[in-house]
Every structure is written in structure tokens, then in C-alpha cells.
Amino acid sequence: MRKIFRYILAFAIMGAVAGLQGCEDYFDKEDNPNLVPNPPLPTLLTTTTHKTGINSYLVSNITSYFVQYLASPSAGGSSDTYQITDYTGTWDALYWAMADIYDMRQLAIEQGATEYVGVANVLMAYHLSLVNDMWGDAPYSEAFANITLTPAFDDEANLYDVTTQLLDEAIVELQKPESTVRLIATSDVIHEGNVANWVKTAYALKARQLNKLSGTSFYNPQAVLEAVDNSYTSNADNAEMGVFQTRNPWAAVALSNAGNLLGGWLSEQLIQHLDGTSYGVFDPRLEQITDPTVNGDFVGTPNGTGNVGPANNTVKDENYISRNSPLTGDESPLIIVSYPEVKLIEAEAAFRAGQLDRAFEAYREAIRASMELLEVAQADADAYLSSSAVAQSASELTLDRIFQEKYVVTYLNPEAWNDARRYDYQYANFTLPAGAALPTFIRRVAYPSGEASKNPNTPDVTDLSLPLWWDQ
Amino acid sequence: MRNSFTLLVLLLMCCWVPALAQENTVSGRVTGADEGMPLPGVSVTVKGTTIGTTTDADGRFTLNVPSDESILEFRFLGYRIQEVRVGNQRQVNVVMATDTQQLDEVVVTALGITREKKALGYAAQEVRTEELVQNRQPNVLNAMQGKVAGVTISSTGGAPGQGANIQIRGINSIDPNRPNQPLFVIDGIQVNNSTSTFGEGAELRGMSNRLADLNPDDIESINILRGGAATALYGLRGANGVVVITTKSGQKGEMRVNFTSTAGWEEVNKFPKIQDTYTQGYTGEYDPTSFWPSWGPTWQEARQIDPTHPEGIYNHFEDAYETGNQFRNTLTFSGGTDAITFSSSLSRLDHEGVLPFTDYQNTSARLNTEVKLSEKFSTGGNFNYIRSGGKRYNADRFNEMLSYWSPRWDVRDYVKPDGTMQSYGNDNPIYAASTNQFEDDVSRFIGGLNFSYKPLSWLDFNYRIGLDTYTDDRTRTAPGPRNVPDERLLDENGQGFVHEYTTKFRSINSTFIASLNKSFGDQFNATVRVGHELYDEYIKSFGVQGEELSVFDFFKLSNARFLSSSENESEYRLMGIFGEASFDYGDFLFLTLTGRNDITSSLAKAKRSFFYPSASISYIASEHLELPEFINQTKVRLSYAQIGKDASPYSISSGYAPYTSLPTGYTGATRAALLGNRELKPEFTNTYEAGLEMSFLDNRIGFDFTYYYSLSKDQILNIDVASTTGYVRAAINAGKMRNKGVEIVLNATPVRTTNFNWDTKLIFSANRNKILSLPEGLEEVTYASQFGYVGSTVTMKLIEGQPYGNIYGSHWQRYYGPGEEEDPLFIDESRPIVIGANGFPVRAPLSSQKLLGNSQPDWIGGFTNTFTYKGLSLTALLDARVGLEKYNQMDNFFAAFGIAEYTEDRNQTRVFDGVLSDGTPNTKEVWLGQGVGPDGVDYGNGYYRNHYRGVSENFVEDASWVRLRSLTLRYSLPQQWFDSIFIRNAALSFTGNNLWLSTDYKGFDPETSFSPSGSNVDGFSGFTYPAVRSYLFTLNIGL
């Protein structure tokens, strides 16, 4: 018995001594086993392209209330009624995505992977525009680079310039022939590794950026048209992201709503825009966007008012985001920028440049392509195209008509709010929401508390009717 | 062979002794005054001689005394020494009274080293089993509340098994993610007391701190080492203090069996006050399907419109909570021979909470054994197996849903016959609790072996190896849609899910100590110890989340349409080499010096090894100087210690984590949340401590006073950073923090007679914290924030010159005349509030965030009184925490949704007290309600929604409290009842916990916290699991 314990003691002491001797390796636990120190570029490509799609949804889930695509089922919804609302979650998602994009860009530059540099530039430009168009001034030059823990806020107009510059660089980088690492189709969840489409997307975003200046003295419609020329030629080129863990996030909203977890209610403004109330002609795209109510008709919900009844809010007597729509089905991709939108940019720029024929052609093509994207039956599409809701000749074309169509084309896209602000919300029958917290339409959102509480450089913006620099 | 011989000799002696000395034999029995239980192992000696014995397991002794004049002296640890003149008695029965003021006591100090209390140059306070089990708290930490100076223990909520938080001498670490919890050591083994929040949403589910696994009935004593000098030998893991727990060991003698059974019930001890006038709807318009629970008309008006409206409205908060109950049984066996002693226990706890569908079970088995192989060599083992866990619910969500629930409807009517949610529209919290479940199942083993070898009288070696290992399985489930007509889905149940999580934890702890003891002359003694310690920890967690169930209630991963995974792994290693030299001179002067060098795996190679020393002196003036007679003891203590501290594992590395938002078939990497820092260096805390202990009047009054001062510099913390950095947190070495404070323990026995004793103990402690400097370039460090409506979000941040725990937020604008400068940090409450032209008070711009309160108490106190009359004892513990504030998020929601009692005035007009922007008094009368007021003005959403709810100042409240923490009445059945039956002793007791609470706080009991136990964020107490008042009955039988 004693012997056994003696052995145990001896072993234990030996163990302790061995612990002492081998200590150098024994204590080498510097690298976190849960992390990858140097990820391959394709894994970052998947992350960044996926986040880009998701972020377009996150932003749109805010702006769609401002442009009255959506309305809260209850009265006084905070986004509906322009209240100061804390969008920390969206802000954080945008910046964490930009950090990944930034890292992908740095790694790609180190490795000479020009295609990845180009894609990173496009994605960064897109994110920057989302941030810039919601908040105005925002961190960029000191952000995500590990220079400071409290990045400075860059001027909104400078950020605009950076965005355009990033796109120009992207176009150059993407067209360099010798990328050391090639885009991989299965890792690129936006363009499946198609470099040519990335170039077109860079131009599409550039066209958007340039066209956004329509209200400023910097506006150059010719430059817009040049960008459009190099951009999409069909819906097949669209920048869209359709890879989801479960389902398209709008479809998830629709699914919850079906289970009476209310959300995704379509605004009265949108329904009346499409059902003939505002423009006299029933737009067949409405039936591809939503399902008829239990009563077989189309009823929207006024912003700020909530469920108007008469039945209670679980009776499906109004319209919602639909899982049957080609835009918001379980597997529908999130559209970042589309061919019909580019065509309407072209129509607007051409119109403003006085090239009415070109404007008219682009306008008609945009409507046709939009019908195609929404899988509208050819006969219905043709009927609409020949109806009084659509300009039938170049002379009938007006900016109002272009904005009228663009409102439909950018359904659930963040770009809609930029257009609404440029257009001063002059859509037919567009009114302030009931109980609006502002005397005028909303022009920006307040900085999120998440940033303000950790970064003392955050500006204190409380007046949401203050326009951004391009929105004068 | 030699063992058998020793045994034989002993046996012979036992028979021999009575035969030798029949004439002068005295026998008797020793019992404890506190519980009336027999005391085994009491030393009984004839004063002035070497004649002596110890009592057996039954408390009995037999002793041969030289003469009738002999005086018997009874000594037992923790009891007052008692002397009895034998006279002509042959039967001497003694009742020994407990004594908490004994300098001759031996206490367990660092690394299991036992030392005389008088030799300690630092504060140490012990809690013994009697004190500990008195309030029958299932969680050991809660059982210590109000009993130890310098220690703040908060139950984070009243859920069964819910974690408790312990803080020793304030917050030493700025990092909220770096627990400020002390190190826990059970029988020499470092054990884990983390609160794991692994698993989606676990941080709000009131998870247990791992020490809750321990059965309080198993504990013999707890010694709390507070200062740096006390914990120096434990190294950096003891930097926040050490709680040394010793479990019960066996006594030689026949086997004893003890059975303890506790049963009782509990209820919420404090509900918020809510309005009972207004019903569902908005702007005073009744709507029985409205989202708005109480902005409608009065219920009387609603009944005119809707005859089905009940008479009155429900108190949904009181309705939603139930009466909980608990039941614990513990069976212990102990006994032994000269060579082997053992103590074992089996226990089972079943606990159902006040929030419906929450419960907790704990089954524990323990074996402690000591084997004496020879005079030189002994060994022992401690083994504890525990299975624990239960159903947890998210109290934050529960109370939030309750706030949205309209009291026009009965919240208890939560389920339809087809099993789906019963609701008029909003989510029903009880339905949520019944379906959205999170259950943990922990299987844990704590075991240790120790070996002690004493080859020479002045030399001994001690080695101990311990293992703490557990598996924590968690299952999170919710049913999917049943697809029946008119089904309402619960938000958080989604399309149904099943998540399975597992954490494996393993820590090995090895300690070797060699001690040399040498006397020089008869005045000078020296002890030198050298040792080596190793701590090796491995944690691996992984989980699979299955979303969208095909069969709505079949909770198997294979039944889920989408699967995703999460995993985490961590290894940590720490080695210390240490030495201690202690010298004592003349039994009145004691000096102890220590040094320890740690090598940690969590810092980079160049910074990994570091040394720190300590020194302490104890001077027993009463042994050295002639002091007046009424002074029994006087001891002065002084100590200095430095303690190093390392970083959390992997704080030095950055990298890319898996991007998990992709479906199967895609992989991605994303920047890790933490910006690691290779330059991190150890942080050091220097502590100075001075103390004075005195006792007077035959030890009937005594005090122990301690002052300490500690300065931590280069603190390692992971601060929350703005997302624009691309990170969530960053690791930095940041600045300096100071803590200083006093601790006072007062003991007194105002009445001491044969049959009646009154003992009283008062503890008081106060800590003052100050952030002396922050890292360069940072003006403030935000470490926590909690949501409040429209600008009332509060943040907790560190600002130079300010203490830890400050809560900042928005505030009403005060009037400053021309040329008067406004302080950017402090609200000047003497100034009038500025009233706008619309007649309502003006909120200062949100960019102005001012100090609204501090979550650290100015002082804490505990006051225990015990009255003992024969076998009856009554103990009352008053506990106080004073001078702290907390943010009441619940009240913020109550204001927003018209639930708070004070919103009853919504249909009144008021002239707000204050001045207009030009300084003239406000005279404008305004209506507080919604919509168009009696004056024809449209007030929109009304005062409470437009103004009141958006100002943090309204919701940061005084969270001070005084409570009757526990009241225990105990009756030990008279001993003579059991003389002839197999029962040795029995006692009955009643315990009431939280019977009385006094606080101005508007929410639930402000001791509860939003943050899980182990968090340093204690400033938020809104939607918490409410604390409970419990009534418990206990039966204790000894066989």
C-alpha cells in the first residue's frame, strides 16, 4: 500500500519537474485556435459578396418606410413617422462588412490579385454610398485600418468623391489581364466569378453616383450616359445575391407575417401607385409583387396609421410582401442594381441632356425589362406598355413619368430613397405619414447610438429634415 | 504490519484505561450551544497537566483526573474555551458556545496552509457551516450574503439555480468581460466558478455560476482572503481575492448519519406599481386588438363600448408570476478509525421558480477521506460528482412581453385547446415561457488527491493534484407552426428550432510545497516554504443549430431544415514558482515574506514571465505589553503586496473567424471581433493594508478594523470599440485604477447566561474607486449601454477622475443665465428646469450625456443577531446596500406604454415647474394626455411618450436597499428524548428569506441584475428575473 503511494508521489513530482523543463513550448498558446490568420482570398470573397447582398436588404428595410413601399401595421411606427430611430445594427453591419472588404483589398494588393482588388473596390464603393446616402458624413479614411479606435468622420462630399474614385479604379483593376488569383464562381455569390459583369456593375454604380448629382451644379448627364454605355445590357447582367442560410430575408418577413407576426405590410402609397388610383392604369406588376387580399382586392396600409381595419390586424385584408413574388420568394435573389434601373438612369440623363429619343427608348426598354424581371405575362406587359400610364412617344416623356416608373423598378431597393429625395417626393398622391415627427419629408437619419457612445467624433444630428449635400 | 500493531496497541489502551483508574474517572458529553449537536473531537485536558483526551463521535469523553480539585479545560476550534472544576462530579456535561473572536484559531490560508490566526498580517474572515446553512440558500454564494466584510454578493435574480455575483473590495478590473470574481478553491483544488453563456440567448437566461453546483451542506468553513498579501501565493488567479472552501471531513469513531430535509415555497418579493385605470388602445380610443396595452380610455368607458370588457383591468405582472417551491434532502455519513476517516454525502435539490416553467435540479454525491499510513505519511482524497441544470427562461423577454401585453386581457389564458398561442394580438409571455425552452444539463466531477510526507520533524512535503471537469449540455427548442386555422406564431419561436450545445471543461491543478521549520532559541521561529504550482485549463464548446422543424414538435436536429454550427476552443496554462518565509518572535511578532513568479500562456513570449512580492507583519500587543485587564487581545497588522495579472486567453491574437451566415456548401471568413494586441504586458496591482483587532471584557466585545489601498496600473482590457474600426472590441493596457476602503467587523455578546445568549455581529465596508488615468487618446471608455426609448439609452463609461460604475445619459435642460457655464459632466439639481414654449420641459441635446448615478454602493453592511435560549435559537440578518443607482429599463417601457402608476395623471393638466429660456417662470398650463386636449391643442402622443420617456434622468434611480435577508428560528429537540432511541439528535427550523425589503426603487428588487453573474456590469436592473421571498422548513436528524 505504502509503495503505491510512494510511486504516485514520485510520479507527481516528476510530472511537476517535467512541467518546469518543457515550459517554453508548453506556454506557447499565442495563436487563437478558433481563428484563421491568413484566409485565402476566395473565402473573403464569399463573405464580402454575401454581406453586400444582406446589407442592401438591411438598409432597404429602413428606407422602404421613408419611400412608403412598406408601412408599419401599427400606428406611429418610428421609421414610418420619421422619429429619431436607432439604426446601430445596420450601421455596424455596414462597417463590419467594409472591414472585410478592406482586408480583402489589402490582401489582394499584396498578392497582385487584381480581380479581387477590383471587386473589393466595387463593394466598398457600394457600401460607402449606402452609408453616405443615409447619414452624410461618415468615417472612411481612418476607418477599419487599425490606425485609431475613434475614427474621424469624413465630409460627405469627400466620401462621394472617394466612391466614384473607387469605381474608376475598380474598372481599371478588373480589366487588368494577369490577376494572380482568379475569381472563383462558387465563391462569388454576386456574379459567379464573371469579371465582365463586375465591370458592368462598376459602371452601373458609377451611373447611379453621377446621376445622383442631378440637383447640383456638378451634374453632367453626358458622363452618366458614358457610364451607362458600359453597363448592363440585359437582366442577366444584374448584380444580385441569392445565397441564403434559410431564405430570402424578405420572404422570411412574409413568412412571419403569415404566422401573424406582423411585418412587411405594403404601403397604401405603393398599392395606389400600381392599382390605377394614382396613374389611372392597373400595373400588372402589382400582381407579381403581392397577392390579392382575402377579399380579392388590393389594399395598402397608410404610413403612420397602421392597420385600418375594419377587421383586426390578423385578417388578411391588406397586401404584404409576398413569397410568391419573383422579387421576394424564398429563393429570389436580393437585387443590388439592375438593368431596368440602369435604363431609367439612362432615360433621365438623356432627358436632362435633351436627347429625347434616347431617353424614350431607354424608358420603354426599362419598363419591358422590369416586366420581364417580374415575370409578367407578355400580353399584360404589352397592354401596359401601350396604355396611357406609359409615354407613347418621346414627346410624351416627362421626368415625372421616368420617376413614376423608377419607383416601381426600385421596389425594396435602397436607391429608391435617393430618387425620392432628388425628386422631392413628388410622386402622385405622396403625403406625409400620419403623425409625422417632421413638418417635411425625411432627408437623413440620425447617427446610431452604438457609434455615438463609443466614438466621440460622431456628429450630433437631430434634424432629420436637413438635406444631404447632393439633395439641395 | 506496523499499522496492525498500532491498531492493536490502541485497542488495548481503550480497554485498559477504565480498568486502571476507576476511582477518579470523569465522563461526560460535550454539545454545541448553537445546534445542540454533540461535538466530536473536542480536546479535554486537565489544566496544568498533560492528561487529556478528545471526545468521540458522540461528543462523549472519559478521563482520569488526579483529584477533585482538577480543572477540566475544553477546547474546540471556533468555540470559547470552557473550564469546569471537577469537584465531586463524575458526570460533566458541557455546552460549548461558539466564538468568532478567537485569535488562537487556526485558519486555512493560501494553498491549504493552516496558520494560527494571530500570525496573519492581513484580514481574513471565516464563515462556518452553522452560519452558512442558516438561511438555507441553494447557492453557496447567496448563503454568504451579508456575512463577510468587504464582500458584495448579489443574486442576479430569483430564478432557480440563477447565478450570483461576488465582488471583493470593489471592482479591480475595468473589463466587463473579464470577470472580477475571486478564485474559488475547494479542499485545495482550484475550481471553476464561471457563468457560461454559450448558446444563443443564454446571457439572458439566468445561467448558474458553476459554484452553484456545490451543496452548502457539504461545507465545513469558508475563508475569504481579500487582500493582496493574503492571496499572494495563489498568484494571478487570486488577484481578485480567494474564497477557500473546506468541506466536512470525517471524525474517527462509529459511523454517524445525518439527514437534512428542507422544503418550502417562494413568491416574488416586490412588484412594480402599475396603473389600474386605463385600458387598451391609443389616444384614449378603445381598441381590443391594439398593439398599445394601456393608452386607451378608462376601463369604465371601454365597458360602455365593449360589454365583454372585464370589470377593471388585470394586474398582469402579479398574474404572470406563480408561487415557486423547493425541496432539498441531504444525507451524510461519516466516521472512521485512527487510520482512515471518511465523510460522504448525497443530496438532491428540486426547485421550481416563480416565473412559470422555470426549474432547477441538483444531485450531488461526495466522498472525502483521509488515510494516515504512518506517522510520516498520510494521504487523502476528495471526490464530488454533481449533476445539475434545469429549464431557464429569458426573464428580460418575459417582462418585456408582459409590458406589451394589455391588461384588458388575462395573461394566464395563454394557450388555445389546439396548443397554439391564445392572444388578442401581442405575444403572450407565459405561452413563450412554456414553449421557448432552454435547458442545461451539467455533469461535473471535482476530485483531488493529496499526499503529505514528513520525513523529519522540521521538514514536510505536500503534494496535491486536483481535477475539475464537466460537460455542460444545453438544448434550446421551440415548436414550429402547427398550421391550424387562426394560428398566431410567437416571434421568438420562429418556424421552430432545436439547438444542441455542448461545453467540455477540464482544469488540472497541481501544487507542490516543501516546508522547513526551525526554532532558534525559545523566542525565534522560522518557517520557509517553497513550491510549484500548475494550472492547465481546456475548454471546448460546440453547437449545432437546427432551424425550421418539419414535424413541429419533434426536437431532433434531423427534423430541422437548416443546420448551422458554432464552436470555440480555448487552452490556458499558468505556472507559478513561489516561496514564503515566515518568522515569529516571542509569539507576538510575526513577519511573512512571499514571492511568486508566474509564467502565463496568455501573453506573448517576451512578457509572459513576471515576479511579484508581498510582506506582512502581525504584532500581538496583548502578548507583548501589559495592557489593562479589560483588554483581552490587541493585534496590529500591516501588509504590502504586489500582484500581477495576465490577459484573457488569446487577447494577443487577431485573425479571421468563420463567417457563419452562409448555408451549407459555402464557407467564408470574417474579421474576428477582437483586435488583439501582441504588446500586452501584465498589469500590476499594489495593495497596502493595515488592520487592528481588539477584544474586551472577557472577549464579549471585539472588533476587527481594516483599511486598504490598492492601485492597479496598465490594466488589460478588451474595450468595446466603434464598429467603424472594423472590430467589436480591442485589447489594450489601459491606465490606472485605485480602490481604497475600510472594513469593520464588530462582535459582541450583550447577554451571556447559562440558558440565554445574545450574540451580535455587525459588518460594515465601504470602497471608493477612482479611475486615475485612461490610455492616451481615449477620453472615455464605454463598457456597457442599455436601450431606452428616444434618446434615453444610458451608457456606463470610464472617465478619468471618476469612479467605476458611473451611469451616463440624457437629462432635462437646467437653466443657466447669461455668462454662467454649464458643467459638462454633472447635473446641477439646484437649478430650475428649462420649460419650452410649448409648456413642456426641455431635454438637453443628446450630445450632452451627464452623470446620473453610480452602480457601486457607498457602503454595505450586515447585522446579525442570534438569540439562544436552551435549544431554541433565533437569528436575524439585516443586510444593507446603500448609495447606489441603477437604470430601470422597465420603468422606461412603463412610461412609453402607459403602464407606470404615475401615468394615471395622463388626463390632467399641469404647469411644469421651471423657467422659460429667458429665465422667467413658466406659467403655461398643458395637458399630459394624448391627442387633442381640453384646450383644443393637439398633444400628439402625450407627455409621457413625447417627453418623459426620452430622458434617461427619469429612469436612473436610487437602488439602495435594506432588507431582512433572513430570519431563522431553530429548535433543537431536547437531548434526553433521544437517549434511549437510535436518533442522536434532531432539530427543526423555519427560515424566511427576504421577509422585508425597504427601497425607493420602482422596479423589481434592485439587487437583481440584467447582466449574467460574473459580469462587471451591474448598473442595469429592469427586466430581470424578480427576486423572491421564501419560507423554508428544515428538519435535521442525526443518527
Side-chain angles (χ1 to χ4, degrees), chain B residues 444-456:
Chain B
R444 183 179 194 182
F445 175 77
I446 302 171
L449 292 173
N450 62 72
F451 309 93
S452 155
Y453 180 55
K454 194 174 170 63
L456 299 164

Side-chain angles (χ1 to χ4, degrees), chain A residues 245-258:
Chain A
Q245 204 169 22
T246 50
R247 55 174 57 79
N248 176 304
W250 296 115
V253 171
L255 180 63
S256 297
N257 187 58

Side-chain angles (χ1 to χ4, degrees), chain B residues 590-720:
Chain B
F590 302 84
L591 168 70
T592 305
L593 302 170
T594 72
R596 176 165 165 138
N597 193 90
D598 275 329
I599 302 175
T600 171
S601 68
S602 72
L603 294 175
K605 202 174 238 173
K607 323 266 181 187
R608 170 185 298 167
S609 171
F610 46 99
F611 174 84
Y612 42 90
S614 91
S616 65
I617 290 173
S618 161
Y619 169 61
I620 318 291
S622 48
E623 300 273 326
H624 184 215
L625 307 172
E626 277 301 317
L627 295 173
E629 188 131 316
F630 68 93
I631 300 177
N632 301 95
Q633 277 148 350
T634 304
K635 172 180 162 182
V636 180
R637 310 180 306 248
L638 275 176
S639 70
Y640 160 77
Q642 187 179 46
I643 287 221
K645 216 169 167 183
D646 61 356
S648 323
Y650 313 122
S651 299
I652 56 173
S653 56
S654 309
Y656 296 82
Y659 176 60
T660 54
S661 303
L662 295 164
T664 310
Y666 294 86
T667 57
T670 185
R671 244 195 220 188
L674 177 75
L675 171 60
N677 183 349
R678 244 165 223 283
E679 300 305 310
L680 287 182
K681 56 189 179 192
E683 67 177 70
F684 284 100
T685 303
N686 285 301
T687 61
Y688 305 85
E689 185 184 310
L692 175 66
E693 291 168 45
M694 291 184 85
S695 68
F696 311 93
L697 303 173
D698 201 13
N699 286 331
R700 282 178 64 171
I701 300 179
F703 73 82
D704 181 340
F705 172 85
T706 307
Y707 171 82
Y708 61 87
Y709 179 95
S710 81
L711 191 67
S712 305
K713 53 179 189 185
D714 300 327
Q715 293 230 328
I716 297 174
L717 62 146
N718 292 346
I719 53 167
D720 283 347

Side-chain angles (χ1 to χ4, degrees), chain B residues 27-57:
Chain B
S27 61
R29 195 170 191 212
V30 184
T31 51
D34 45 345
E35 300 190 358
M37 302 243 303
L39 294 177
V42 176
S43 142
V44 188
T45 52
V46 178
K47 200 173 180 182
T49 72
T50 54
I51 302 166
T53 184
T54 54
T55 57
D56 67 8

Side-chain angles (χ1 to χ4, degrees), chain A residues 260 313-314, chain B residues 289 405 421 423-427 488:
Chain A
N260 287 337
N313 58 14
T314 57
Chain B
T289 62
W405 185 263
M421 180 166 67
S423 168
Y424 61 88
N426 290 1
D427 284 347
R488 280 182 186 272

Side-chain angles (χ1 to χ4, degrees), chain B residues 804-841:
Chain B
Y804 186 93
N806 275 2
I807 303 169
Y808 299 88
S810 58
H811 55 98
W812 295 120
Q813 181 67 56
R814 261 69 179 188
Y815 177 74
Y816 287 83
E820 290 181 314
E821 197 153 324
E822 184 172 353
D823 188 288
L825 215 52
F826 299 100
I827 293 174
D828 183 353
E829 301 210 2
S830 66
R831 290 175 183 274
I833 289 173
V834 175
I835 309 294
N838 59 4
F840 288 101

Side-chain angles (χ1 to χ4, degrees), chain B residues 102-139:
Chain B
Q102 269 287 358
L103 280 182
D104 283 340
E105 249 176 78
V106 173
V107 290
V108 181
T109 66
L111 300 170
I113 296 165
T114 51
R115 298 191 65 185
E116 286 178 300
K117 199 176 178 199
K118 66 181 174 191
L120 303 183
Y122 46 79
Q125 196 186 344
E126 200 174 45
V127 183
R128 300 192 59 80
T129 179
E130 312 80 49
E131 251 188 294
L132 202 64
V133 300
Q134 178 205 94
N135 39 347
R136 306 302 313 169
Q137 283 287 341
N139 189 327

